[in-house]
């Protein structure tokens, strides 16, 4: 069985990546963290409907922006476009004014700490998992990242603390603990842009809000894109983009969007009702 797995892994590693540097790719200087989209449109090759349709936005350095919208509205596709995990045509997405398709992939991806909903934790210690993106980080830095992700106290309660093994040979973390360990990993990379795709879905509301508020307060503020299905967490951000069938249907602060009495208002009322019923 092991041999079969190794053969399979070798097959995967042998496939040349389809998204690569252009021959004239340029290095990225110091990143401010401004993101822009102009007429961003993308259709998956096996689909007829565009997953993203004529999207425009500017996200300023240090701004915290939430993206909300029903399942299938295009949030994750948008998230994947930014670090070029999904490749769009040139002239649509810009980082600090540079067309992302012209940048060196390594530089672009180093500028964006991306946390998906289901992050992969390896069968190694918690400290090693947190350190994964920056193996040379010190113990203090690992602990500081875990504190920022509000998971330090729970890690210390484990039998071997930060040296506790997770995965098949070790302990099983809860969904919320896994997400916060993944978040600590992203904090440790210390990229200027933090991209969270429903990465706090299993973390309780109050803790998620605390994490966000603290990030927004920091002196070296990052640009944060916070995709969430929980509107109460989105409400705490600077600005909310509401997606619907691949477009940005509305954008504004929580208060502005409630006043607009449109899609956001409907989603908000619906969520309030669900909370009462639960
Ligand atoms: P959300 O994250 O808001 O739930 P997605 O960005 O995952 O939405 O999906 C947007 C649309 O694109 C949906 O219609 C979905 O079915 C489609 N889609 C997402 N990923 C793929 C893919 N890899 N191949 C084809 N279609 C996809
Ligand atoms: Mg999604």
């Amino acid at each position: 069985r092991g041999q079969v797995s190794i053969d399979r892994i070798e097959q995967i590693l042998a496939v040349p990546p389809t998204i690569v540097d252009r021959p004239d790719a340029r290095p990225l200087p110091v990143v401010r963290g401004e993101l822009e989209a102009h007429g961003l449109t993308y259709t998956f090759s096996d689909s007829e409907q565009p997953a993203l349709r004529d999207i425009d936005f500017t996200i300023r350095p240090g701004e915290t922006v939430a993206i909300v919208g029903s399942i299938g509205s295009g949030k994750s596709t948008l998230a994947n476009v930014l670090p070029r995990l999904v490749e769009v045509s040139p002239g649509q997405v810009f980082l600090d004014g540079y067309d992302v398709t012209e940048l060196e992939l390594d530089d672009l991806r180093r500028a964006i700490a991306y946390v998906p909903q289901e992050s992969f934790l390896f069968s190694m210690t918690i400290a090693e998992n947190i350190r994964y993106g920056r193996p040379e980080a010190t113990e203090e830095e690992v602990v500081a990242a875990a504190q920022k992700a509000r998971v330090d106290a729970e890690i210390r309660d484990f039998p071997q603390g930060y040296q506790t093994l997770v995965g098949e040979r070790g302990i099983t973390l809860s969904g919320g603990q896994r997400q916060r360990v993944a978040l600590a990993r992203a904090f440790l990379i210390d990229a200027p842009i933090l991209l969270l795709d429903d990465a706090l879905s299993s973390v309780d509301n109050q803790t998620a809000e605390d994490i966000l508020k603290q990030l927004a307060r920091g002196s070296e503020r990052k640009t944060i894109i916070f995709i969430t299905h929980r509107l109460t967490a989105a409400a705490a951000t600077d600005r909310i983009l509401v997606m619907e069938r691949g477009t940005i249907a509305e954008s504004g602060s929580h208060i502005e969007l409630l006043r607009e009495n449109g899609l956001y208002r409907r989603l908000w009322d619906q969520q309030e009702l669900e909370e009462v019923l639960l």
Side-chain angles (χ1 to χ4, degrees):
R1 222 162 27 135
Q3 188 59 47
V4 172
S5 305
I6 288 171
D7 290 347
R8 178 81 190 112
I9 290 167
E10 279 175 351
Q11 277 172 21
I12 292 170
L13 290 176
V15 176
T18 50
I19 302 175
V20 294
D21 280 346
R22 283 173 27 172
D24 57 347
R26 59 164 99 211
L28 181 64
V30 177
V31 182
R32 292 183 295 120
E34 181 188 75
L35 287 165
E36 269 179 287
H38 292 303
L40 167 58
T41 299
Y42 181 78
T43 307
F44 285 101
S45 55
D46 56 357
S47 171
E48 276 158 30
Q49 294 292 327
L52 300 176
R53 226 187 283 240
D54 202 22
I55 287 180
D56 287 285
F57 60 72
T58 302
I59 298 174
R60 292 182 302 277
E63 198 179 9
T64 299
V65 173
I67 300 179
V68 303
S70 47
I71 294 170
S73 57
K75 304 181 298 295
S76 294
T77 306
L78 180 57
N80 284 318
V81 160
L82 302 174
R84 281 172 66 192
L85 297 168
V86 158
E87 185 82 303
V88 295
S89 313
Q92 304 192 83
V93 183
F94 302 85
L95 167 57
D96 289 357
Y98 297 99
D99 188 326
V100 294
T101 63
E102 290 175 7
L103 292 171
E104 287 180 8
L105 273 174
D106 272 2
D107 285 5
L108 173 67
R109 291 179 183 167
R110 240 196 308 271
I112 303 175
Y114 170 39
V115 190
Q117 183 169 355
E118 295 290 336
S119 280
F120 195 80
L121 295 189
F122 299 94
S123 287
M124 43 194 200
T125 69
I126 294 195
E128 285 165 331
N129 267 292
I130 294 177
R131 222 182 240 127
Y132 190 73
R134 193 150 74 81
E136 75 284 4
T138 66
E139 218 171 296
E140 289 75 38
E141 288 172 320
V142 169
V143 171
Q147 283 170 342
K148 262 169 95 177
R150 297 280 199 277
V151 67
D152 169 68
E154 280 154 81
I155 294 174
R156 286 177 195 279
D157 277 344
F158 292 146
Q160 275 99 34
Y162 280 82
Q163 300 312 315
T164 305
L165 275 177
V166 298
E168 278 174 20
R169 290 171 298 135
I171 60 164
T172 305
L173 301 182
S174 73
Q177 286 170 337
R178 295 169 63 87
Q179 288 191 329
R180 280 172 293 142
V181 168
L183 196 62
R185 181 190 281 167
F187 287 158
L188 194 61
I189 296 170
D190 201 26
I193 298 171
L194 189 61
L195 174 56
L196 308 177
D197 187 358
D198 235 338
L200 300 177
S201 58
S202 307
V203 176
D204 69 88
N205 252 334
Q206 189 57 52
T207 307
E209 269 176 56
D210 288 349
I211 293 172
L212 269 182
K213 279 197 190 126
Q214 174 200 303
L215 286 176
R217 256 203 318 267
S219 52
E220 356 72 282
R221 278 181 66 135
K222 296 174 187 305
T223 303
I224 301 169
I225 300 176
F226 179 62
I227 298 173
T228 180
H229 67 270
R230 262 201 320 232
L231 300 186
T232 43
T237 63
D238 298 331
R239 189 151 57 103
I240 304 167
L241 308 179
V242 188
M243 291 193 70
E244 185 184 29
R245 278 184 251 108
T247 64
I248 293 182
E250 292 175 296
S251 103
S253 70
H254 173 68
I255 300 290
E256 287 165 356
L257 289 177
L258 281 186
R259 267 198 224 112
E260 259 179 49
N261 232 338
L263 175 59
Y264 183 81
R265 176 92 220 190
R266 283 205 301 282
L267 294 171
W268 179 261
D269 290 345
Q270 188 183 329
Q271 186 147 335
E272 298 241 287
L273 183 65
E274 277 166 16
E275 269 162 29
V276 172
L277 294 177
L278 282 175

